[in-house]
Amino acid sequence: MSSIAENLARLQENIAQTLHRCGRTAEDVILVAVTKTHPVETVDEALRLGIRHIGENKVQEALRKIPLLRDPYEGFHFIGHLQSNKINNLLSLKPLLIQSIDSLYIARELNNSLGRKNLTQDILVQVNTTAETTKSGVSFENAAEMVWQIAALPCLRIRGLMTIGLMSIDPERTRPYFSQLRELGEKIEKQGIPGVKMEYLSMGMSDDYLVALEEGSNMLRL
Ligand SMILES: *Cc1c(COP(=O)(O)O)cnc(C)c1O
C-alpha cells in the first residue's frame, strides 16, 4: 500500500471508532482532504483512494492545481482567508463550500460578484473561537450578529460554522472551544434566521480531529 493509502486507512479507522463510541456513523461526517502544498499527482492519488472533498487555502494555488486534476471529486472547499480581488478567480473554480467567510466586508463583496453572475453560494462563517490575533474569523461575541447580517445578502446561503483549534500539542485544550462552537450553532439555529441552516460544524484538523468529533463536528479538514 502507498503511504497515502495507509494514512487514509488509519484515519478512517480512528474516525469510525470514535464515532462508534459517540453513537454516530461515518456517513454523518464529511472528510475534507486539505491538499494545500501537495502536488496534483498526490491529490489525484487521494481521489482514486476514495477522497471526495478537497480543500485549498490559497486561491492562486487552487487555480493552478484544480484544472489539472484528472480524477473526479465531489466538492472543492475553500478554507483560507479570502481577499476581495481573488473572488472572481475563486468562483471560476465552482467551490462547493467557502468555509472561511470572516467579515461582513468580504461577504458583501462576494455577494456582489455572485449577483452579477446570477449565482448563489453556500458558505460557512469562520469563528475565531480561541481569540488568537494570528487567526481570521469573527469573534465569538459577534458571530450571531454577523450571521443575521450575512443572511440578508441574497446570493449567500449560510450552512454552518467553521473554526480552527488552538495550535497546541494537547488537543484537550481545544475541547472547550469546539464545544462552545457547537453551542453557538445550536443557539443560532434556534433563532430561525431566514435562509440560514446550521447544517455543518467544520472543526477538527490533524492534531485535534478526534476531540472535534467527540464535540459534534461533522466536517473534518485534514
Ligand atoms: C492547513 C489547514 C488545515 C489542515 O491542517 P492540518 O494540520 O494539516 O490538518 C485545516 N484547516 C485550515 C483552515 C487550514 O488552513
Side-chain angles (χ1 to χ4, degrees), residues 59-60 81-90 105-106 109 113:
V59 174
Q60 288 311 112
H81 176 65
L82 180 57
Q83 294 168 304
S84 56
N85 62 349
K86 305 275 168 57
I87 287 175
N88 286 327
N89 279 339
L90 176 59
Y105 168 75
I106 199 67
E109 294 284 308
S113 297

Side-chain angles (χ1 to χ4, degrees), residues 34 36 57 79-80 126 162 164 204-207 221-222:
V34 178
K36 68 182 183 206
N57 70 336
I79 60 171
Q126 180 174 352
M162 182 271 246
I164 300 174
M205 299 166 42
S206 299
D207 296 330
R221 310 179 309 271
L222 23 82

Side-chain angles (χ1 to χ4, degrees), residues 62-109:
L63 207 57
R64 180 160 46 76
K65 282 156 61 177
I66 296 221
L68 298 178
L69 291 174
R70 297 217 231 137
D71 292 275
Y73 58 88
E74 200 172 306
F76 160 56
H77 297 240
F78 188 70
I79 60 171
H81 176 65
L82 180 57
Q83 294 168 304
S84 56
N85 62 349
K86 305 275 168 57
I87 287 175
N88 286 327
N89 279 339
L90 176 59
L91 293 178
S92 75
L93 297 171
K94 299 187 169 44
L96 181 74
L97 195 56
I98 299 177
Q99 300 203 9
S100 41
I101 295 301
D102 53 12
S103 71
L104 188 58
Y105 168 75
I106 199 67
R108 285 186 173 137
E109 294 284 308

Side-chain angles (χ1 to χ4, degrees), residues 7-222:
N7 286 343
L8 192 60
R10 193 174 53 234
L11 195 66
Q12 281 165 336
E13 178 61 26
N14 289 344
I15 292 172
Q17 275 178 9
T18 302
L19 287 172
H20 182 72
R21 260 195 295 113
C22 303
R24 300 167 65 199
T25 60
E27 291 80 67
D28 297 345
V29 176
I30 293 179
L31 178 61
V32 180
V34 178
T35 51
K36 68 182 183 206
T37 74
H38 291 287
V40 172
E41 297 72 38
T42 309
V43 184
D44 268 329
E45 186 180 352
L47 290 171
R48 282 195 298 276
L49 289 166
I51 287 294
R52 303 263 56 91
H53 295 262
I54 55 176
E56 289 281 344
N57 70 336
K58 294 201 171 77
V59 174
Q60 288 311 112
E61 183 177 345
L63 207 57
R64 180 160 46 76
K65 282 156 61 177
I66 296 221
L68 298 178
L69 291 174
R70 297 217 231 137
D71 292 275
Y73 58 88
E74 200 172 306
F76 160 56
H77 297 240
F78 188 70
I79 60 171
H81 176 65
L82 180 57
Q83 294 168 304
S84 56
N85 62 349
K86 305 275 168 57
I87 287 175
N88 286 327
N89 279 339
L90 176 59
L91 293 178
S92 75
L93 297 171
K94 299 187 169 44
L96 181 74
L97 195 56
I98 299 177
Q99 300 203 9
S100 41
I101 295 301
D102 53 12
S103 71
L104 188 58
Y105 168 75
I106 199 67
R108 285 186 173 137
E109 294 284 308
L110 179 60
N111 181 68
N112 292 343
S113 297
L114 290 160
R116 286 192 287 273
K117 299 177 205 296
N118 224 353
L119 294 171
T120 59
Q121 176 69 54
D122 285 352
I123 62 158
L124 304 183
V125 171
Q126 180 174 352
V127 183
N128 187 356
T129 47
T130 60
E132 289 166 286
T133 51
T134 49
K135 279 187 202 154
S136 318
V138 61
S139 73
F140 196 78
E141 293 71 31
N142 295 336
E145 173 67 19
M146 204 170 90
V147 168
W148 276 97
Q149 289 169 320
I150 294 177
L153 304 173
C155 303
L156 298 182
R157 299 196 310 172
I158 302 180
R159 308 293 297 274
L161 304 174
M162 182 271 246
T163 200
I164 300 174
L166 281 180
M167 300 297 157
S168 160
I169 44 168
D170 180 7
E172 285 301 328
R173 291 192 51 212
T174 293
R175 187 185 292 277
Y177 300 107
F178 285 162
S179 114
Q180 281 168 21
L181 191 73
R182 185 194 60 227
E183 285 164 14
L184 178 65
E186 289 165 359
K187 188 182 117 194
I188 292 172
E189 183 75 51
K190 284 207 194 89
Q191 297 180 355
I193 308 170
V196 173
K197 237 160 87 184
M198 286 289 128
E199 191 175 347
Y200 297 120
L201 210 47
S202 176
M203 53 189 201
M205 299 166 42
S206 299
D207 296 330
D208 53 22
Y209 68 99
L210 295 177
V211 168
L213 288 175
E214 288 168 357
E215 295 303 328
S217 168
N218 59 6
M219 191 172 272
L220 301 175
R221 310 179 309 271
L222 23 82

